[in-house]
Amino acid sequence: MNAPVRVERTGDIVVWTIDKPQTRNAISDADTVAALEDAVHKVNRDPSVRVAIITGAGTAFSSGGNVKQMRDRAGMFGGTPAQLRQGYRHGIQRIPKALYHCEVPTIAAVNGPAVGAGCDLALMCDMRIASTTATFAESFVRLGLIPGDGGAWLLPRAVGMARASEMAFTGGTIDAATALEWGMVNSVAPPEELLPAAHELADRIAANPPHALRMTKRLMREGQQSTLETLLELSAAMQAVAHHTDDHHEAVAAMLERREARFTGQ
């Protein structure tokens, strides 16, 4: 049996592929939740990784929750209301928490439909590149459900409250071109060029000093909920650390000497 998430490393970039095409890459199963969480934790502990890409196997990015399990009231969808609450908290909600705290920049390479929690999975990443075959649907309401994995927090931050409300209240689907127009994705590529485009963006990011990348991401996360004064204090502390890295000294020397910098992560 294949692992639910296939992990592949190319240089300082890691690719996580949800490999459950039989469920169109549903992410509500316990093994998939654990695999995604573990993949993030391993990256956080490995300073040599600079960027992570997440995509789906087959024709779908992710179908979100396993609808057959919903029908059968199985897995995280079974039990009393109290048990269901714990099923969400200790199940699928571990994914947004893990990706929120992923220390490296993340790119969703959306290769097909991203539905419900699958749409939210794309939004959990820092950047998104969509295939021309990609579609997005915040479709919970059509199943008589609410966004149980953080979509109500994620979607308005990506497209604004009015458009998020339209998607969440209708449960309708938007195509890749609309997602680009709305600012939901960074760019759109033909299917055969999707992963190369994601790697090209990842390469441009990974060309920078890894410690500065991780601290910049942390500051941007904190900036979503901090006051300016608090963020400035945190920025000053992190900047003091950055000034003492070898990579900073190398970057300054390379700029003054008009040459390519060689960063070591030190």
Side-chain angles (χ1 to χ4, degrees):
M1 183 175 177
N2 292 340
V5 177
R6 188 168 70 249
V7 179
E8 298 167 290
R9 177 80 179 263
T10 303
D12 39 27
I13 297 166
V14 67
V15 179
W16 302 321
T17 303
I18 306 170
D19 196 7
K20 303 186 76 170
Q22 69 277 13
T23 64
R24 292 175 64 80
N25 301 323
I27 58 172
S28 56
D29 297 337
D31 60 344
T32 308
V33 171
L36 285 169
E37 186 179 54
D38 183 61
V40 172
H41 289 168
K42 285 181 177 176
V43 161
N44 287 348
R45 294 191 298 266
D46 185 352
S48 68
V49 177
R50 302 190 186 185
V51 186
I53 298 169
I54 186 166
T55 192
T59 59
F61 178 70
S62 175
S63 61
N66 189 319
V67 179
K68 289 182 178 179
Q69 286 189 343
M70 293 181 196
R71 177 198 63 194
D72 299 336
R73 300 185 181 183
M76 65 170 283
F77 305 115
T80 66
Q83 289 169 329
L84 274 161
R85 175 174 175 262
Q86 294 302 324
Y88 273 86
R89 292 179 67 235
H90 300 293
I92 198 170
Q93 288 185 356
R94 287 157 52 194
I95 299 175
K97 289 179 181 178
L99 284 170
Y100 184 83
H101 292 290
C102 183
E103 294 183 5
V104 302
T106 52
I107 302 169
V110 186
N111 55 298
V115 181
C119 179
D120 293 341
L121 177 65
L123 297 173
M124 293 171 203
C125 296
D126 300 308
M127 295 153 284
R128 288 158 289 283
I129 298 178
S131 163
T132 52
T133 62
T135 56
F136 301 85
E138 191 77 352
S139 55
F140 299 93
V141 70
R142 293 197 172 187
L143 291 173
L145 296 173
I146 54 90
D149 61 327
W153 190 90
L154 294 159
L155 189 57
R157 284 169 165 76
V159 299
M161 185 59 75
R163 284 170 171 160
S165 296
E166 179 180 341
M167 290 185 70
F169 297 162
T170 67
T173 299
I174 63 171
D175 60 16
T178 302
L180 180 63
E181 179 188 349
W182 287 7
M184 191 175 188
V185 301
N186 296 66
S187 61
V188 175
E192 67 277 7
E193 296 177 17
L194 177 65
L195 279 177
H199 275 282
E200 190 274 333
L201 175 58
D203 286 338
R204 288 195 285 122
I205 295 167
N208 294 299
H211 289 304
L213 276 175
R214 292 190 181 212
M215 288 192 291
T216 297
K217 176 167 178 175
R218 179 61 186 274
L219 283 173
M220 293 183 70
R221 282 279 190 257
E222 293 298 326
Q224 292 182 298
Q225 55 198 350
S226 298
T227 64
L228 175 60
E229 288 78 8
T230 298
L231 190 71
L232 287 172
E233 283 295 332
L234 183 59
S235 300
M238 287 191 174
Q239 194 74 299
V241 173
H243 272 287
H244 278 265
T245 61
D246 292 345
D247 281 345
H248 164 62
H249 300 148
E250 165 65 8
V252 171
M255 181 174 290
L256 294 175
E257 295 166 14
R258 300 178 185 273
R259 60 173 174 80
E260 290 292 322
R262 296 178 294 275
F263 300 124
T264 62
Q266 301 298 316

